[in-house]
Amino acid sequence: VVAVVGVSFAAFSYSKTGEQVNTITTGTITMSYSETTNGINLINALPMTDAVGKALKTENQYFDFTVGANITGSTTINYAITATKEDSSTLPETGVKLYLTNMDSDADTQIMAPTKFSAIAKTTSAETSGAPSGQAKLYAGTFNATGSHDYRLRMWVADDYSVAGSTQTFKVRVNVYGAAAAQ
């Protein structure tokens, strides 16, 4: 009886080849980050108000960089601009403020208000940009097409911090991470 059922099943199974053409298209993604150095340093700086810090415009008082993407095809790139404090820093994170602006079209548009380094939200393992956990997250953005954005980071000693007599420094490294969004 088992043999008859097995033969009967085999006699009725069949398959058909599809006639629709499946097309898979891929694009290319290139993400770039350009600057001369990837950090900014404070050495023996004096405390200043936010108004003065936001207006810093001379050399070594700000850090300019560009984030760009070259996309062909249809995709989205999520990116994050982060900062990490260098181990050699002697100023506490509560004594330093960071301020990020967008410099597209030569405008100085605020992206992140003056914020103490200690109060900046940290990246998590759920970052869609691929940034590692625990870094200070300055900004998150996306590219849907080829383009670039120019940024300026300023950093100063907060006006409510009392500077001690010895040499004090604070150094941050700026990182940009990017990842293609799930399609």
Side-chain angles (χ1 to χ4, degrees):
V1 174
V2 173
V4 173
V5 172
V7 172
S8 296
F9 177 76
F12 291 105
S13 66
Y14 109 128
S15 64
K16 181 180 177 190
T17 305
E19 301 202 9
Q20 182 176 356
V21 176
N22 292 323
T23 305
I24 299 173
T25 58
T26 61
T28 57
I29 302 168
T30 305
M31 188 168 172
S32 63
Y33 167 60
S34 63
E35 41 66 44
T36 55
T37 62
N38 72 328
I40 186 170
N41 304 324
L42 287 177
I43 301 172
N44 290 333
L46 296 174
M48 62 181 69
T49 65
D50 289 351
V52 173
K54 289 169 65 172
L56 295 173
K57 291 186 180 181
T58 60
E59 190 174 341
N60 298 322
Q61 292 183 327
Y62 61 86
F63 173 68
D64 285 345
F65 60 99
T66 301
V67 178
N70 183 4
I71 300 172
T72 59
S74 175
T75 193
T76 298
I77 297 177
N78 297 315
Y79 71 95
I81 301 170
T82 69
T84 55
K85 180 180 85 168
E86 294 289 307
D87 292 336
S88 61
S89 297
T90 58
L91 278 167
E93 293 181 4
T94 56
V96 175
K97 286 194 171 181
L98 276 70
Y99 174 63
L100 184 67
T101 60
N102 182 302
M103 298 297 292
D104 292 347
S105 304
D106 293 325
D108 202 358
T109 307
Q110 177 175 296
I111 299 264
M112 184 185 79
T115 307
K116 288 186 178 181
F117 191 87
S118 60
I120 298 172
K122 304 296 186 247
T123 54
T124 67
S125 60
E127 295 294 322
T128 58
S129 64
S133 297
Q135 296 190 8
K137 186 175 181 178
L138 306 180
Y139 179 71
T142 59
F143 283 106
N144 294 314
T146 296
S148 66
H149 298 292
D150 298 320
Y151 296 99
R152 177 169 285 173
L153 178 67
R154 294 177 179 92
M155 184 170 72
W156 61 88
V157 177
D159 62 350
D160 63 353
Y161 178 73
S162 296
V163 177
S166 62
T167 301
Q168 296 203 358
T169 64
F170 195 85
K171 300 176 184 182
V172 295
R173 181 171 302 274
V174 177
N175 304 296
V176 178
Y177 299 93
Q183 297 287 317

